[in-house]
Amino acid sequence: MHVPDGFFNAAVSLSAGVVAAAGVAVCLRGARRELDDRTAPMAGLVAAFVFAVQMLNFPVAAGTSGHLLGGALAAILVGPYTAVLCVAVVLLVQGFFFADGGLTALGVNITLMGVVAVLVGWGVFRLITRSLRGRGAVVAASFVAALVSVPATALAFTLLFWLGGTAPVEIGTVAAAMGGVHLLIGIGEGLITAVTVSTVLAIRPDLVYGARELAAPLVLRGAGGDVTVTSESPAPTAPVAARRPGWFLPAGIAVAALLAGVVSFYASSSPDGLERVAEDKGFSGQAADHSLGEQPLADYGDVGGIPVGVAGLIGVGVTLAVGGGLFFTVRRRDEGSGRGEDSGRKVSV
C-alpha cells in the first residue's frame, strides 16, 4: 500500500507529513521505555525483516497481490513506539533507495502504514490478550490484530482520499473496493504475523514484547535479600541484560537475507491492492513519476538492470544499518548494570 506522488493534494500531503513527524517524535521518546542494550538489536532485525517480507507480494485474487504492512508484527515483537520507528525506517529506505512510495507522499505512508497500522494492530492485540492468557492466545491475537490492521489502514487511506484526493471518484465505491481487497490481504498479513510470532515465541519468548506476561518471575538472591523480577518493571539489571539475542540475531539476519535475496525472485508481479483499486476506479493516472525513479536501484533494481535479489540484499543491509543505528542511539542505557546500587531494582524479562 505504498502511496505514490500525485494521489493527494498539497494540503493533505503536508498535513499527513505533520502527523507523521509528530508521531515519530512521540515514538522516539516512547521507544526509550521499550529499547535497551538487549532489545535494540532485535528492533533493527525487525525493521530488516519487515523490509524483506514486504518484497514478497503474494496473490490474493485474480490479477491482484498483497504484501505485508508489518505494523502489527513489529508492535508485538518490539513494542508499539518502536514499531512505528521500524516502519518509518523501512519506508525511508524504500522511498529514497528504491523509489517505492512517493517522497511527497512519505508523510501519508508513515501515517497509514506506521501510525494507523500500529495503533490498530497493537490495540486489537492488547484487547484480546487482556482477556485470554497463554502462548496460544498470543499467537491467535497476533493473527487477528494483523488481519484487522490492514483493512483499517485501507479505510484510513480512503478517508484521506475523500479529504484531498486528486481525482473525482465516488468515495463509497473506493471504500468498498479498498476494504474488500485489503481484507483478503489482511488474511495473508495475519498468517505471516502469527507464524513469525509463534516461531520467535518457540525460540526466544523473552524477545517478544507482547508476551512479557508469559515470562515467569525471576527471584534474584543477593546480600540484600531476594528480589523478584517482574514483567512490569522498567529496566533490566545484569542477570537479564546478559541474555542478549546472541545467535538469534545473525540467524534472523540470515532469514531476512534469504527472503530478500532468493525468495523475492518468486514474488507475484501482479499490482497490489491499492494499485488494482486505482486502476479499476480510474485514478491510477494521477500517480506522478518518482523523483528518484531513474537511479539504478529504483523498482528494486529493475531500472538499473540489477537482479531483484541483489537489490533486496542491499536493502536489508541498509535497513539494518539505519535501523540499528537509530535504535542504539534511542535505547535506554543500562547504566550501573551489575552494581550494588541497582541490585534492588525490578527488571523486565
Side-chain angles (χ1 to χ4, degrees):
M1 196 191 295
H2 292 76
V3 178
D5 294 320
F7 271 19
F8 292 98
N9 61 27
V12 168
S13 296
L14 288 173
S15 298
V18 171
V19 172
V24 169
V26 169
C27 291
L28 283 170
R29 292 180 59 87
R32 286 184 58 83
R33 298 197 294 270
E34 299 169 347
L35 295 171
D36 53 35
D37 290 335
R38 182 174 62 98
T39 56
M42 178 67 176
L45 172 60
V46 168
F49 182 79
V50 169
F51 174 90
V53 180
Q54 283 195 1
M55 294 183 64
L56 310 181
N57 281 46
F58 50 86
V60 294
T64 306
S65 69
H67 64 73
L68 183 82
L69 296 186
L73 172 62
I76 294 164
L77 291 178
V78 293
Y81 292 109
T82 306
V84 173
L85 300 181
C86 284
V87 176
V89 166
V90 171
L91 290 171
L92 284 168
V93 171
Q94 290 170 333
F96 282 95
F97 286 85
F98 300 94
D100 189 7
L103 297 184
T104 62
L106 184 59
V108 173
N109 283 319
I110 292 176
T111 298
L112 293 175
M113 298 174 65
V115 177
V116 173
V118 169
L119 282 178
V120 173
W122 180 247
V124 172
F125 177 82
R126 291 300 294 155
L127 182 65
I128 295 174
T129 54
R130 282 176 179 171
S131 303
L132 303 174
R133 302 290 181 179
R135 185 168 296 186
V138 170
V139 175
S142 299
F143 173 81
V144 176
L147 189 159
V148 173
S149 71
V150 177
T153 302
L155 293 178
F157 166 87
T158 306
L159 175 61
L160 290 181
F161 201 81
W162 176 65
L163 293 173
T166 55
V169 297
E170 172 57 46
I171 198 64
T173 303
V174 175
M178 286 291 288
V181 71
H182 284 91
L183 180 61
L184 297 176
I185 295 172
I187 296 173
E189 177 109 7
L191 291 173
I192 294 170
T193 301
V195 168
T196 304
V197 171
S198 177
T199 301
V200 180
L201 277 175
I203 300 171
R204 286 294 302 271
D206 58 302
L207 294 178
V208 180
Y209 182 89
R212 292 168 299 164
E213 289 81 359
L214 296 180
L218 300 178
V219 178
L220 307 181
R221 300 185 182 280
D226 293 348
V227 177
T228 301
V229 182
T230 68
S231 59
E232 286 79 19
S233 306
T237 56
V240 176
R243 196 183 182 198
R244 302 180 188 278
W247 63 266
F248 185 86
L249 184 62
I253 295 173
V255 170
L258 177 65
L259 294 174
V262 178
V263 182
S264 60
F265 283 99
Y266 304 97
S268 173
S269 60
S270 299
D272 67 16
L274 175 57
E275 292 170 330
R276 172 57 65 193
V277 172
E279 291 175 3
D280 291 346
K281 304 306 174 185
F283 61 92
S284 61
Q286 300 302 117
D289 292 336
H290 200 287
S291 57
L292 300 177
E294 298 303 318
Q295 64 179 349
L297 285 173
D299 199 15
Y300 296 91
D302 188 57
V303 171
I306 299 172
V308 65
V310 174
L313 290 174
I314 294 172
V316 167
V318 173
T319 305
L320 189 63
V322 174
L326 172 65
F327 300 133
F328 268 100
T329 300
V330 172
R331 80 192 189 284
R332 178 185 61 247
R333 273 68 169 181
D334 296 338
E335 296 178 358
S337 178
R339 297 174 187 167
E341 62 268 27
D342 288 334
S343 63
R345 188 172 58 187
K346 293 182 178 180
V347 302
S348 300
V349 293

